[in-house]
């Protein structure tokens, strides 16, 4: 089964990303966030914090596993934060 | 048992914070990071990603649980990200 990758940017709206996280976790069991840069990483972590509150009533407690990864943007390799989000 | 709280700022050095995380997790079982602002949250999440690599040889796989909290800085209440870091 493939895992959905959500690209989070500095302009992403955390409540919207949180809704997507909650949906994918319930459908697929997990979801992966990619964020390039400090502002994007901050939006990503906030999104997970909000998604946790969305899933409280479902009895799902989300955790995330951070790691580094490389992504290609405009043909340049950039370091990104990859957050694997899944139920505890 | 009390849990150590590490305050991560935009100027924190992720490899140093990662060393502290690895130490506290091995000693106390978990540690909590507080970060105020996007740059600090980014340093915090990078620190956890690095700490995971430090603990690979010990067979410990770290996860983190993000939530919002309020902290008082210069007598003003600020919203902060709180990351509970513990073994999987």
């Amino acid at each position: 089964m493939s895992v959905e990758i959500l690209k989070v940017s500095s302009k992403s709206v955390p409540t919207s990303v949180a809704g997507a996280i909650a949906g994918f976790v319930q459908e697929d069991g997990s979801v992966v966030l990619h964020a390039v840069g400090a502002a994007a990483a901050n939006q990503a972590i906030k999104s997970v914090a909000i998604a946790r509150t969305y899933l409280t009533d479902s009895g799902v407690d989300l955790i995330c596993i951070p790691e580094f990864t490389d992504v290609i943007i405009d043909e340049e390799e950039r370091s990104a934060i990859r957050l694997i989000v899944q139920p505890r």
Side-chain angles (χ1 to χ4, degrees), chain A:
Chain A
M1 193 178 65
S2 69
V3 171
E4 203 69 31
I5 295 178
L6 297 176
K7 289 175 189 169
V8 182
S9 83
S10 59
K11 288 169 188 151
S12 297
V13 180
T15 48
S16 304
V17 179
I21 292 171
F24 284 122
V25 166
Q26 290 190 305
E27 244 174 69
D28 302 338
S30 72
V31 64
V32 170
L33 310 184
H34 276 188
V36 177
N42 183 50
Q43 298 301 73
I45 200 74
K46 281 163 73 174
S47 302
V48 178
I50 296 167
R52 293 187 68 232
T53 68
Y54 289 176
L55 291 172
T56 305
D57 287 348
S58 325
V60 175
D61 192 13
L62 289 184
I63 59 129
C64 66
I65 302 168
E67 53 190 35
F68 293 102
T69 187
D70 293 316
V71 294
I72 307 288
I73 297 176
D74 295 336
E75 295 176 24
E76 270 186 60
E77 198 173 81
R78 299 277 306 272
S79 176
I81 284 285
R82 178 183 157 93
L83 290 180
I84 303 163
V85 183
Q86 55 188 216
R88 193 170 197 165

